[in-house]
């Protein structure tokens, strides 16, 4: 086989294979192994079907209680999901991901910012979201310090604090 065939096999052989064109070359099979008729696919762009504004969005049509339960579960996963054996020290994946220098702290800070965004979507006022952003900023900045930052991440639990503040505020609001 020549280098030309390895680099661009379709042009070297002159035969059409793969997904080069807008048309699929064979039947479209779903994840259960059944053939999908083309009329069920609808309008597509590059072989990917986009549906905007449909009720199939698992996150769009949630009630206030469901959103709050999701935030509480996420905060517990991030901050207190696991226990150090033989102690009462709890930690979450925030502390584990934070062990990766810089990138881990950026990832966990982004997830924490999503929690603040969801709080804002639930109607939290500016002073509450400002306090929540302060917790996230403190957790993110101190978390950048190599060893002490990781210990601080385990002990500070910014996400649990933020969800508790949101819960307290929501309890005071009329439904």
């Amino acid at each position: 086989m020549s280098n030309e065939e390895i680099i661009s096999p379709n042009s070297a052989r002159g035969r059409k294979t793969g997904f080069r064109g807008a048309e699929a070359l064979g039947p479209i099979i779903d994840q259960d192994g059944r053939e999908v008729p083309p009329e069920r696919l609808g309008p597509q762009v590059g072989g990917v079907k986009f549906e905007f504004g449909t009720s199939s969005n698992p996150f769009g049509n949630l009630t206030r209680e469901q959103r709050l339960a999701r935030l509480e579960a996420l905060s517990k996963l991030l901050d207190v999901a696991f226990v150090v054996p033989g102690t009462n020290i709890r930690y979450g994946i925030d502390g584990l991901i934070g062990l990766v220098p810089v990138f881990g702290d950026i990832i966990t800070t982004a997830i924490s910012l999503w929690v603040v965004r969801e709080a804002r979507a639930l109607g939290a006022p500016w002073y509450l979201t400002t306090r929540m952003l302060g917790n996230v900023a403190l957790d993110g900045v101190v978390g950048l310090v190599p060893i002490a930052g990781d210990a601080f991440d385990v002990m500070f639990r910014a996400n649990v604090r933020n969800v508790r503040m949101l819960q307290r505020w929501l309890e005071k609001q009329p439904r």
Side-chain angles (χ1 to χ4, degrees):
M1 185 177 276
S2 70
N3 286 340
E4 182 64 29
E5 289 175 331
I6 294 171
I7 294 172
S8 57
N10 292 338
S11 62
R13 293 184 198 144
R15 159 171 83 104
K16 190 173 180 184
T17 59
F19 292 103
R20 297 280 180 200
E23 295 290 321
L25 297 178
I28 298 171
I29 307 295
D30 69 2
Q31 65 186 13
D32 296 323
R34 294 184 297 261
E35 186 174 338
V36 178
E39 58 271 5
R40 274 196 45 212
L41 296 175
Q44 292 188 359
V45 176
V48 178
K49 184 176 179 181
F50 292 98
E51 293 180 10
F52 297 106
T54 64
S55 63
S56 64
N57 183 0
F59 301 116
N61 302 324
L62 298 177
T63 65
R64 184 168 121 173
E65 288 77 20
Q66 289 172 328
R67 282 183 169 202
L68 191 59
R70 181 178 63 184
L71 289 177
E72 188 173 359
L74 179 64
S75 70
K76 286 181 180 178
L77 177 67
L78 286 170
D79 291 339
V80 292
F82 311 108
V83 178
V84 175
T87 67
N88 284 335
I89 299 173
R90 300 188 71 84
Y91 65 97
I93 61 171
D94 185 0
L96 294 175
I97 296 172
L99 291 173
V100 177
V102 182
F103 294 112
D105 294 308
I106 291 171
I107 290 169
T108 57
T109 301
I111 295 170
S112 298
L113 287 173
W114 182 80
V115 172
V116 175
R117 184 210 157 274
E118 280 291 304
R120 190 69 183 145
L122 285 170
W126 65 270
Y127 64 87
L128 184 65
T129 54
T130 303
R131 286 186 61 197
M132 292 171 82
L133 285 172
N135 287 340
V136 171
L138 181 63
D139 189 37
V141 170
V142 175
L144 288 172
V145 177
I147 294 171
D150 296 324
F152 182 79
D153 274 343
V154 169
M155 299 311 220
F156 185 62
R157 301 176 182 160
N159 298 299
V160 170
R161 287 173 188 253
N162 287 344
V163 171
R164 281 188 187 150
M165 285 193 305
L166 179 64
Q167 285 174 334
R168 279 190 231 117
W169 179 81
L170 284 172
E171 287 172 0
K172 295 177 186 175
Q173 303 309 307
R175 294 200 180 243

